[in-house]
Amino acid sequence: MLLLRLSAQDLLTLNSRRRMVPHLAARYQHFRGRDVSASERKAWAESVVELAEDLVEAERGNVEMVVECAATVDEPREGESPLIDVVLVGRHPETRLPSYQLVELKRWSMVTQVEAATAKLVSVPGYKSPKKHPALQLRNTYRLFTGDQGPLRGITVECGGFAYLHNATDDSVRPLLDTLAPTGAYERVYTRDSRNLLLADLRRHFAEDGADSEAEQFLRFMNLRNTPLLDAMIRSRGEDTVFTLRGQQKRVAASVLERAAMVLGNPAPPQSDGRAVFIVTGGAGTGKSAVGLQLRADFEAAGQTVRYASGSRAFNGALQEQVGYTEAEFKDRFAYFSSFVAPQDPPLDVLICDEAHRLRERTIDMYGRKEKSGKQPQVDDLLDAARLTVFFLDESQSVRPKEVGSVDLIEEAARARGIVPLHYGLREEWRCGGSDAYIRWVRAVLDIEAGTTEWTPDGLMHVEVADSPEELEYIIRTEAEAGATARMVAGFCWPWTAPVGKGKAAHLEADVRIGEWHRPWNAKGDAFCENGMVPPSTKWAVHPYGINQIGCVYTAQGLEWDWCGVILGEDMVRRGDRWVYGKGQWRRDPVSKAKRVRVPGSFDMKLREGAGSEEEKEREFARCVRHAYHVLMTRASRATVLYSTDEETQTYLKSCVGDVQIHGLRPTWENLPAEARIPHLTSPKRKGNDTSPGQEPLF
């Protein structure tokens, strides 16, 4: 956990725009579930800023400041200090090792000794009870950071710490400085009188370069730079362990495994004890798929019969393509929700259902085959298929009226079988650079939940608004060519033409048309076209030539890239203080015979299938459109680039993002420190030839 990570000079810029304290307060409320006190806000506004100004004066404005940081992702044990005010991160000027200074900031102006025999406690005017000597706080914090569970465990670094009482003089806090006071490399105390010594020590501990590299490494040590899901799967193929689970993820997985041992340990358990259902909820990027895939690996390694099911063809297709499973290997491990119409005999031990918000009322075969269509609700098909069922879902990612997956639906179906489902929630953010502030900003901008629509740069996630589709494409292509993963996606606001022609010679129509800028949607179907230059929809997200097409919510859901360019169309436009939603109409182009936009709006015909009154249908249509953009705007791990085809909406987006061109924060491949330029893994060579020659997957 951390509330903010910026260089000292960027933090001062952010503070000058009056965004630092509101951002810290919002992050604190999210993590702690309560508002921060007025005194804490004042401490941030004074003490954190004072330290940043000192760094700049010491000519160390490059040093990264990690504000309000916990030593581990787990809850602190009783008696442990939960947060350190600031961790300064940089590179040592002599040893060139990573250099850290743990900082306790105190606004105290005076302290007195509690008793002559000890220096562990001091009295501070304004506080009822004695306070622990800040050097002792630092000693405990140091042990947490460098201990067995800390981010700096087993790493050779330069690490120290100090307390900074910028309102005090040496004489006014003499008990903190006398001969009985604790001493050590991480137990120094500075006051206003010793500020020059502090500046000298900052120069002695930190070089003028390298801080961004070391901060990037520190985020990795803190488990805030997540390994992309597909990279983790490639790296672990054939291994029992897929992911390193953290925080709430570990607790959820441990609970499922513990319950599974009870349910699956008896070959013929009593009916009342023979089944278990878990419901795991969490927003985009909270690690639902990571937990699910790790559980699948654990159960498979234990000899249990287990399947991993999803309602997303794009997710399953990308997983199969990227990890390199053969068709037989994939079918043995993975499935779709529609795969369980026929009863499993015997039932599976475990069925893991990812993206369960995409459950349908009933499985209906697209080709009309009765034997492939369900006779009961789809959730019942899944519950009947296994002795232990785990559902992962995020109700805010339901993007079609007939997607009925919800906590209430699953709970009701489980209880009808006499099963009391166990419910867990994941809150820690691992996608979008670990920036829960960005997730909450997206939800506020889209009116999914209340919150501030003013974006505050936090050093974890970047967002900007392009002035044209050409600029958006230039940014995304530049990053892809440099080595990052990147894709362009859009709202479903243009007709979608199937490949024209036969076989691999078929070509794509440039359906997405904004002025003179024309680009095709990703190809429909499961085959390559344009002589191998265009991948099928199931591989668009991971194939190198996918950069040439535009994806939508159905081909992007469940996946992620470093950079994502999102085009907002006229299915959702800003008018005054609210969003207005519209359905499009098409016309036939007299020359090409292709469908073109006649009335701007949504061309997603599935969103027009809702039941109920016209008012209810319109409300459901608006909900699905908002949720679709929520999915699209949360696909990036480093940066999102936005553009709206509507002028008023474009103005609104720019007002929300504001002037964010803060030094060094734009995470282009060129700007990233070398330690952050980690190439994504290439797919292992597959058995079979469904990839055109010379077109190895990009990542």
Side-chain angles (χ1 to χ4, degrees), residues 76-124:
R77 300 172 190 167
E78 188 174 351
E80 291 180 345
S81 178
L83 297 175
I84 180 74
D85 291 334
V86 178
V87 179
L88 300 181
V89 184
R91 184 170 290 165
H92 199 276
E94 296 177 4
T95 66
R96 306 301 291 173
L97 289 170
S99 183
Y100 301 94
Q101 290 290 306
L102 311 174
V103 185
E104 279 291 337
L105 296 169
K106 303 296 184 186
R107 295 170 55 241
W108 305 343
S109 58
M110 177 181 295
V111 302
T112 58
Q113 206 164 23
V114 173
E115 52 184 275
T118 179
K120 292 183 178 180
L121 296 175
V122 293
S123 294
V124 181

Side-chain angles (χ1 to χ4, degrees), residues 35-162:
D35 288 336
V36 68
S37 66
S39 62
E40 187 69 19
R41 288 173 179 262
K42 193 170 184 180
W44 290 333
E46 293 180 9
S47 301
V48 173
V49 170
E50 184 88 17
L51 179 59
E53 289 174 343
D54 288 343
L55 282 161
V56 170
E57 185 166 338
E59 299 181 339
R60 296 299 183 267
N62 65 303
V63 170
E64 299 273 345
M65 300 179 66
V66 180
V67 182
E68 298 286 356
C69 178
T72 70
V73 296
D74 297 316
E75 290 296 318
R77 300 172 190 167
E78 188 174 351
E80 291 180 345
S81 178
L83 297 175
I84 180 74
D85 291 334
V86 178
V87 179
L88 300 181
V89 184
R91 184 170 290 165
H92 199 276
E94 296 177 4
T95 66
R96 306 301 291 173
L97 289 170
S99 183
Y100 301 94
Q101 290 290 306
L102 311 174
V103 185
E104 279 291 337
L105 296 169
K106 303 296 184 186
R107 295 170 55 241
W108 305 343
S109 58
M110 177 181 295
V111 302
T112 58
Q113 206 164 23
V114 173
E115 52 184 275
T118 179
K120 292 183 178 180
L121 296 175
V122 293
S123 294
V124 181
Y127 291 88
K128 294 181 180 179
S129 57
K131 310 299 290 185
K132 182 183 290 187
H133 193 296
L136 296 179
Q137 291 180 255
L138 286 166
R139 180 184 295 174
N140 292 339
T141 302
Y142 179 87
R143 289 169 179 168
L144 284 173
F145 270 83
T146 58
D148 292 341
Q149 301 300 315
L152 304 182
R153 63 189 180 278
I155 303 167
T156 303
V157 298
E158 301 280 355
C159 187
F162 60 88

Side-chain angles (χ1 to χ4, degrees), residues 350-642:
V350 182
L351 178 60
I352 298 169
C353 301
D354 200 359
E355 303 219 358
H357 45 268
R358 303 201 67 182
L359 283 169
R360 306 303 200 270
E361 292 178 354
R362 184 169 65 89
T363 298
I364 299 176
D365 182 64
M366 62 185 297
Y367 300 108
R369 295 170 294 187
K370 290 185 178 180
E371 70 277 9
K372 298 288 187 180
S373 295
K375 298 179 177 60
Q376 62 179 348
Q378 194 174 72
V379 65
D380 291 323
D381 291 340
L382 301 177
L383 288 170
D384 288 344
R387 295 166 63 188
L388 186 148
T389 314
V390 187
F391 294 93
F392 293 90
L393 71 155
D394 173 10
E395 293 180 7
S396 67
Q397 291 195 55
S398 173
V399 295
R400 280 184 171 178
K402 290 187 177 181
E403 292 178 353
V404 299
S406 68
V407 172
D408 289 345
L409 174 82
I410 298 167
E411 284 187 339
E412 184 177 335
R415 292 181 187 277
R417 288 166 163 70
I419 306 169
V420 178
L422 300 177
H423 189 180
Y424 289 88
L426 296 172
R427 294 183 61 217
E428 296 161 338
E429 178 56 48
W430 305 109
R431 191 185 286 148
C432 299
S435 175
D436 64 274
Y438 174 75
I439 299 292
R440 287 183 283 109
W441 176 80
V442 169
R443 296 174 69 83
V445 166
L446 298 177
D447 282 351
I448 293 175
E449 65 181 33
T452 179
T453 59
E454 185 178 69
W455 169 242
T456 298
D458 62 358
L460 299 174
M461 184 66 185
H462 176 75
V463 59
E464 60 187 72
V465 181
D467 288 325
S468 67
E470 289 88 353
E471 182 185 8
L472 181 143
E473 181 179 24
Y474 174 80
I475 293 169
I476 297 303
R477 282 187 178 277
T478 299
E479 291 308 304
E481 290 167 3
T485 56
R487 282 295 182 272
M488 294 179 287
V489 296
F492 200 159
C493 298
W494 293 267
W496 199 323
T497 307
V500 180
K502 294 183 179 181
K504 288 188 176 181
H507 69 275
L508 298 187
E509 180 66 34
D511 288 316
V512 181
R513 307 172 78 85
I514 306 171
E516 297 301 314
W517 186 81
H518 306 158
R519 292 294 179 270
W521 289 112
N522 63 253
K524 290 184 177 181
D526 298 324
F528 282 85
C529 57
E530 294 195 7
N531 296 315
M533 300 297 288
V534 174
S537 61
T538 52
K539 299 178 182 179
W540 165 82
V542 294
H543 195 280
Y545 290 159
I547 194 71
N548 298 319
Q549 302 94 43
I550 310 296
C552 77
V553 64
Y554 303 118
T555 46
Q557 195 164 25
L559 301 167
E560 66 177 314
W561 307 280
D562 296 330
W563 284 71
C564 187
V566 182
I567 299 173
L568 288 78
E570 296 188 49
D571 54 349
M572 187 175 83
V573 295
R574 195 73 178 181
R575 295 293 179 262
D577 61 352
R578 66 190 183 97
W579 290 104
V580 175
Y581 304 87
K583 299 171 185 176
Q585 297 178 17
W586 59 272
R587 61 177 176 81
R588 186 76 67 180
D589 185 275
V591 178
S592 68
K593 306 302 180 184
K595 293 179 181 178
R596 296 284 182 254
V597 174
R598 183 166 71 86
V599 176
S602 172
F603 283 82
D604 190 343
M605 298 298 114
K606 295 293 184 181
L607 300 192
R608 308 187 189 198
E609 298 176 354
S613 66
E614 286 303 313
E615 183 179 346
E616 290 171 329
K617 288 180 181 179
E618 290 302 315
R619 191 161 51 244
E620 181 67 4
F621 173 79
R623 182 191 70 84
C624 290
V625 171
R626 282 197 306 274
H627 284 191
Y629 281 117
H630 176 265
V631 170
L632 297 180
M633 291 169 67
T634 54
R635 295 306 94 195
S637 61
R638 289 193 182 276
T640 299
V641 185
L642 302 173

